Amino acid sequence: MGTITTKDGTEIYFKDWGTGQPIVFSHGWPLTADAFEDQMFFLVSKGYRCIAHDRRGHGRSSQPWNGNDLDTYADDLAELVGKLNLERAIHVGHSTGGGEVAHYLGRHGTKRVAKAVLMGAIPPLMLKTPNNPAGTPKEAFDQLRAAVLADRSQFWKDLSMPFYGYNRPGAKVSEGVRNSFWLQGMMAGLPASYLCIKAFSETDTTEDLKKIGVPTLILHGDDDQIVPYADSAPLSAKLLKNGTLKSYEGLPHGMCTTHPDIVNADLLAFIKS
């Protein structure tokens, strides 16, 4: 575990486990690097080096007012990669982290990158616009912002249900997982909790996806209630030069935690391919 300090003075916390080819994880909103511990522990045991950072404003990183946007998130990731001097890295991004990875690759290139994985990821664009008529209306994101301001502690508790598919009939609910989600959410500062909503909902990564030439795996559950499947994964796959789409019947947004054995096996197979 360690920190780096970015060019604007923000301290970014990261954990760095193992040795071997580096795998870099970018987490979703409002979580932390801890959201990937199931994947990291598994892959380190297979001989890889796993690195995961807390995005600025989240977890154990600084909580600046400025920089809660995808441009800065991507630049922070580039600074982390540069300061750790990572080569042939495999970047794995979940949800907002998937947008961070796509924007990092589009903005900074793939010189240090071997492969990428987008899981339950926000690209190409979540917001409903004239060019993206199947997207989510802005009013839905306004409701998220209002809930964060009104009582974000209760909101995180409520959000954990659809995030992990625990609101589905017959779902086996883990209160431990829900508590972990709440704890990670409460570690995020209010500026990031609020401002990141605009970042993940309104940033169009279409041009970033078109630039990515490295092999890219897209993993997405078709029962994702946070980032709807039809308006994300298939569209991203079409834009990528070297993309592979794998969908999971009935799996939720938080499938890294609810179904780690399935996700871990597919990650390892792609990494080794």
Side-chain angles (χ1 to χ4, degrees), residues 26 41 69 75 128 138 220 254:
S26 294
F41 191 91
D69 56 78
D75 293 349
K128 180 178 181 179
K138 185 175 181 294
H220 213 114

Side-chain angles (χ1 to χ4, degrees), residues 26-29 93-100 119-123 163 226-227 253:
S26 294
H27 65 79
W29 170 89
H94 174 248
S95 197
T96 300
E100 178 182 290
M119 297 196 294
I122 60 171
F163 194 98
I226 308 301
V227 180
H253 189 61

